[in-house]
Amino acid sequence: MVRFVKPAHLTRWQWMVERFWKNVDRRGLDECWPWLAAKVTDGYGTIAYEAGDLYATHRLAYTIEHGRIPEGQQVLHSCDNPACCNVRHLFLGTNTDNIRDMISKRRGSIKLTKEQVLSIRADSRKHREIAAQHNISQSLVSLIKSGKRWSDDY
């Protein structure tokens, strides 16, 4: 386990900010600035703050630039690059905003359009046939038809 020792002349916050910028590849103003150090499996960067506490690097970038993130808000990427720390690519939104953004851009596990979801709901064929047509699982077909997925979006 790597243990970092904070220099005495820096506050914990200053020290984390300094470590943060050392691990960001700052490119052109409009380009993605990828996090170069530790990432979780979905590609988001992480940095250790206190013993055992991890902070998402895109959230840290936003906080450094704009201050605290309001309760109930998430930091979203306009570039859809989870490792990006360029504050010009980051904006606040709710969980609903994030889901709508995922759907509109057809990224992540959201691969269906509104029209496809409505078509699945109206389709009377067997779930396995519908799933094969849309390249999704039978369980997702079931969740869509029962309203447990995309219930309030469409």
Side-chain angles (χ1 to χ4, degrees):
M1 177 178 186
V2 176
R3 184 165 171 86
F4 299 101
V5 179
K6 179 187 79 63
H9 68 283
L10 296 177
T11 66
R12 284 185 178 153
W13 175 253
Q14 290 168 328
W15 181 57
M16 186 166 73
V17 169
E18 185 177 288
R19 285 180 28 241
F20 168 78
W21 287 120
K22 286 180 182 177
N23 288 293
V24 175
D25 181 4
R26 289 188 261 187
R27 301 173 179 180
L29 290 177
D30 294 324
E31 292 181 73
C32 287
W33 295 0
W35 174 251
L36 302 173
K39 295 180 184 111
V40 291
T41 55
D42 56 4
Y44 288 91
T46 60
I47 188 171
Y49 179 59
E50 301 263 344
D53 290 337
L54 296 178
Y55 205 93
T57 55
H58 68 291
R59 292 178 59 85
L60 179 56
Y62 188 92
T63 301
I64 291 168
E65 182 71 19
H66 300 289
R68 285 194 185 277
I69 299 166
E71 178 126 3
Q73 294 289 294
Q74 297 180 355
V75 178
L76 287 58
H77 289 90
S78 62
C79 60
D80 295 327
N81 177 356
C84 181
C85 295
N86 185 342
V87 293
R88 291 167 190 80
H89 295 184
L90 305 175
F91 63 99
L92 291 179
T94 63
N95 186 52
T96 300
D97 295 332
N98 196 20
I99 291 168
R100 285 188 177 131
D101 186 53
M102 288 171 57
I103 292 168
S104 72
K105 295 175 181 174
R106 298 182 64 160
R107 66 173 162 77
S109 61
I110 310 298
K111 297 179 178 158
L112 300 172
T113 64
K114 178 179 180 178
E115 292 73 24
Q116 287 172 312
V117 170
L118 295 174
S119 170
I120 289 168
R121 285 198 182 131
D123 198 324
S124 61
R125 293 179 296 152
K126 294 181 179 181
H127 288 196
R128 73 167 179 249
E129 294 170 4
I130 299 169
Q133 177 186 343
H134 294 281
N135 197 27
I136 59 175
S137 67
Q138 290 181 48
S139 61
L140 182 55
V141 171
S142 179
L143 290 169
I144 291 169
K145 285 183 158 289
S146 69
K148 293 179 182 173
R149 287 289 186 274
W150 293 286
S151 60
D152 54 0
D153 292 320
Y154 305 136

